[in-house]
Amino acid sequence: MNRHEQESGASPVKEVFGKLADGTEIHRWSLENGGTRLKVLSYGGIVQSLEVPDAEGRYANVSLGFGTVEEYVADSPYFGALIGRYGNRLGEGRFTLDGTTYELSVNDGANSLHGGAGGFDKVVWEVEPFERDSEVGLYLTHTSADGDMGYPGTLDVKVTYTLTARGEWRVDYAATTDRATVVNLTNHVYWNLAGEGSGSVGDHRLTIAAGRYTPVDPGLIPTGEPAAVEGTPFDFRTGKPIAEDLRAADPQLLYAKGFDHNWVLDKGVTAEPEWAATLADPASGRTLTVSTTEPGLQFYSGNFLDGTLVGPSGRIYRQGDALCLETQHFPDSPNKPSYPSTVLRPGETYRSTTVHAFS
């Protein structure tokens, strides 16, 4: 039998993980199915741990994080968190919609990053477990009030985390609004397929199904039209180790201290998840395949991990010890009319799906 047949789904288990300063209990939910083990916090919808076996069947947590609520609250670079209302950056912390300019929470220099200072990564989500057919999962819901972090409209959000019988981690996002607004939801897991705390991911091999990317200015805001990856360090079409071009003398890499850019997926927006990227660790034999309905993928090479954070393994995280593959619409889309729209209006439902498959 393969690992998917050996390990069937078990009922999600709930426990108290800690408390916020105001006494609010934060729960951790543990799920297992198809050989994948997932632990999720009600705080931020955070993936606190995701364990998968290596080529020899040995399990390791392949996502960075912390061992306590206090650490997540104090100084987390979005480890494993749900991101909203708008994933990635909005230039100068503002956008104009239907003739009205909205001023947002600014938390990244002059820009608004990942929904602002009080984004979805810092709220306590309502969580309900489910079991259906051969799947187990969690429904996470949150209502963001009109004006929250400067965004218009009351936004009702439902995110579904599912572990399939094949051990895939599927994320389905849905949202509705009572006023025209902009939405761009994603998840911010930091991956190290060799295991959390094991060191650099420089030898991980990454393939991205994209012939273009969006160059950025020194504030990491896209400058305009996408550029071809051919002949640049941004060409991952045939796959290469992360470290191969990480230190190339390219102005774009200097701005971001590495890779922190949006790739324009060849497939565009799709009704069903289609292949976007594959990450492989030659040492452990673990492979992650990402499929999505989204038109973009933010590849971030862990540039700002600076040795000041300690994971649950008791090891510190240094620059390049993990990477993020955030499926998304493009950064600053509300200010770039030529980019795919992120506008959501009353009567419409925002939907997005990303599937993470492990082998």
Side-chain angles (χ1 to χ4, degrees), residues 42-321:
S42 55
Y43 180 77
I46 287 169
V47 172
Q48 193 246 344
S49 173
L50 195 154
E51 296 184 18
V52 290
D54 66 8
E56 304 299 322
R58 296 169 296 203
Y59 274 83
N61 173 20
V62 297
S63 67
L64 271 57
F66 294 122
T68 67
V69 169
E70 289 80 9
E71 291 169 294
Y72 282 108
V73 173
D75 194 23
S76 177
Y78 304 99
F79 282 151
L82 284 175
I83 301 298
R85 287 189 187 190
Y86 199 95
N88 219 304
R89 295 173 175 86
L90 287 171
E92 299 183 353
R94 65 166 66 102
F95 68 92
T96 300
L97 178 60
D98 296 340
T100 300
T101 297
Y102 296 94
E103 301 288 341
L104 308 174
S105 167
V106 172
N107 62 332
D108 182 53
N111 306 316
S112 183
L113 174 66
H114 294 331
F120 290 175
D121 59 295
K122 295 178 179 66
V123 305
V124 180
W125 291 72
E126 295 292 327
V127 183
E128 292 293 334
F130 69 84
E131 300 173 65
R132 62 182 180 218
D133 300 327
S134 57
E135 299 178 336
V136 297
L138 303 171
Y139 297 122
L140 300 99
T141 55
H142 173 64
T143 297
S144 175
D146 182 27
D148 183 15
M149 297 296 110
Y151 288 88
T154 300
L155 192 75
D156 289 311
V157 183
K158 181 178 183 179
V159 180
T160 306
Y161 286 171
T162 305
L163 284 186
T164 72
R166 296 193 57 78
E168 299 159 327
W169 172 44
R170 178 181 173 119
V171 187
D172 292 282
Y173 306 88
T176 57
T177 184
D178 61 0
R179 287 179 62 194
T181 191
V182 297
V183 186
N184 189 29
L185 307 181
T186 190
N187 187 282
H188 212 297
V189 168
Y190 284 66
W191 301 104
N192 184 327
L193 297 184
E196 171 273 326
S198 65
S200 172
V201 294
D203 59 350
H204 281 36
R205 187 176 184 87
L206 177 63
T207 308
I208 304 177
R212 297 179 299 159
Y213 79 108
T214 48
V216 296
D217 64 19
L220 304 186
I221 300 297
T223 55
E225 293 306 305
V229 301
E230 187 169 1
T232 77
F234 296 84
D235 192 349
F236 284 86
R237 290 175 296 177
T238 58
K240 63 183 177 182
I242 303 299
E244 183 169 311
D245 290 321
L246 186 61
R247 303 191 189 282
D250 185 294
Q252 287 292 307
L253 296 179
L254 290 171
Y255 289 157
K257 297 181 172 59
F259 295 104
D260 192 4
H261 296 74
N262 169 68
W263 270 254
V264 179
L265 297 173
D266 294 337
K267 70 177 190 61
V269 178
T270 48
E272 296 296 327
E274 294 186 14
W275 176 62
T278 298
L279 181 68
D281 171 37
S284 68
R286 294 186 184 95
T287 298
L288 164 64
T289 301
V290 179
S291 302
T292 187
T293 57
E294 291 294 287
L297 179 79
Q298 186 84 5
F299 162 40
Y300 167 57
S301 54
N303 316 323
F304 298 102
L305 297 173
D306 61 3
T308 62
L309 304 177
V310 180
S313 62
R315 296 175 183 241
I316 63 172
Y317 296 148
R318 296 189 181 276
Q319 187 179 52
D321 280 359

Side-chain angles (χ1 to χ4, degrees), residues 28-42:
R28 180 169 67 180
W29 291 87
S30 299
L31 301 81
E32 184 170 355
N33 201 14
T36 298
R37 303 166 180 169
L38 179 67
K39 293 183 178 180
V40 176
L41 305 183
S42 55

